[in-house]
Amino acid sequence: GAVVSQHPSWVICKSGTSVKIECRSLDFQATTMFWYRQFPKQSLMLMATSNEGSKATYEQGVEKDKFLINHASLTLSTLTVTSAHPEDSSFYICSANQRESGELFFGEGSRLTVL
Amino acid sequence: GQNIDQPTEMTATEGAIVQINCTYQTSGFNGLFWYQQHAGEAPTFLSYNVLDGLEEKGRFSSFLSRSKGYSYLLLKELQMKDSASYLCAVSDSNYQLIWGAGTKLIIKP
């Protein structure tokens, strides 16, 4: 089946630094990718919708200058957490819509810990 | 507003059957998904229903009634590895997924 890969799986960084998370669709073209955030014991929260070649659409309450999303190609979207703070520590998950079928596939998730 | 309701937690016995319910109120409907999520991992796809009725896939079945805004996930022959959170999500008129809070399923020996 289709595979979506996220990298890194785990990242620990110091407060004030920036962290980039990559989301790749390995064997299909993804017209749309979604970025989610999940706090412990809570459901997924959609942060933004990323369309190839255009600006991401952010959900209400999500700071676009803090969570930079770039969808440079049909197989890659990146989320950069800028000037990270401990409250940004969370599980970040991406998903991608397969162009042909519209089916949604999830990445493995990236756990960010900000010290 | 848009709303997905599912129980917070359920407990069942190994080998038994459990039914996890999900009710929804959304602006438009383009299908309902069930996902399984083990702690610390990304969700994995279980089922997709867009038409009324029951979809069976091995030990797991999913049912949908669009007129009632209701779905359930049925798990048979429960195994310890089925202990996880089960997420119900509805695709709305814009094809965006609206997520439920998830049901934590605890399986006891």
Side-chain angles (χ1 to χ4, degrees):
Chain A
V3 175
V4 174
S5 176
Q6 261 184 262
H7 177 81
S9 301
W10 294 83
V11 57
I12 300 173
C13 70
K14 291 183 178 179
S15 187
T17 60
S18 294
V19 174
K20 180 186 283 188
I21 301 170
E22 292 187 348
C23 179
R24 291 180 185 273
S25 56
L26 296 185
D27 53 1
F28 67 96
Q29 292 186 328
T31 47
T32 305
M33 288 185 171
F34 302 90
W35 285 96
Y36 304 85
R37 185 174 180 178
Q38 186 178 34
F39 291 106
K41 301 183 181 180
Q42 296 184 23
S43 185
L44 297 175
M45 283 176 37
L46 179 64
M47 297 175 67
T49 302
S50 169
N51 295 298
E52 186 266 337
S54 64
K55 289 184 180 179
T57 303
Y58 290 81
E59 295 299 300
Q60 194 171 13
V62 178
E63 298 174 59
K64 59 180 70 175
D65 294 331
K66 180 164 184 64
F67 298 99
L68 300 178
I69 292 172
N70 183 279
H71 195 154
S73 75
L74 282 171
T75 59
L76 174 65
S77 176
T78 60
L79 167 68
T80 303
V81 182
T82 62
S83 187
H85 289 284
E87 55 264 32
D88 298 325
S89 298
S90 189
F91 194 49
Y92 293 87
I93 305 172
C94 73
S95 66
N97 264 128
Q98 188 178 39
R99 186 185 225 178
E100 291 78 21
S101 68
E103 198 171 345
L104 192 66
F105 299 95
F106 283 91
E108 310 96 324
S110 301
R111 183 164 298 284
L112 170 65
T113 302
V114 184
L115 302 177
Chain B
Q2 309 206 92
N3 194 47
I4 310 278
D5 284 316
Q6 51 182 131
T8 305
E9 187 174 296
M10 298 182 72
T11 303
T13 305
E14 190 176 14
I17 298 173
V18 71
Q19 177 175 310
I20 303 174
N21 296 324
C22 171
T23 57
Y24 63 89
Q25 291 176 309
T26 57
S27 56
F29 179 83
N30 280 301
L32 185 145
F33 298 81
W34 283 98
Y35 287 88
Q36 180 191 61
Q37 187 180 24
H38 287 101
E41 298 179 11
T44 54
F45 172 80
L46 290 179
S47 67
Y48 172 66
N49 294 68
V50 68
L51 299 176
D52 290 349
L54 187 67
E55 296 272 347
E56 296 187 76
K57 194 185 293 185
R59 293 189 299 114
F60 293 5
S61 303
S62 57
F63 171 84
L64 174 68
S65 168
R66 287 171 296 172
S67 61
K68 295 181 180 178
Y70 167 70
S71 172
Y72 67 72
L73 179 69
L74 191 71
L75 293 77
K76 303 176 185 176
E77 301 168 20
L78 286 170
Q79 301 174 9
M80 297 304 293
K81 66 178 182 180
D82 297 329
S83 292
S85 285
Y86 290 85
L87 301 168
C88 171
V90 173
S91 178
D92 70 6
S93 56
N94 295 318
Y95 292 93
Q96 284 213 320
L97 282 183
I98 313 301
W99 292 89
T103 299
K104 183 179 180 181
L105 178 63
I106 300 168
I107 310 294
K108 295 185 175 179

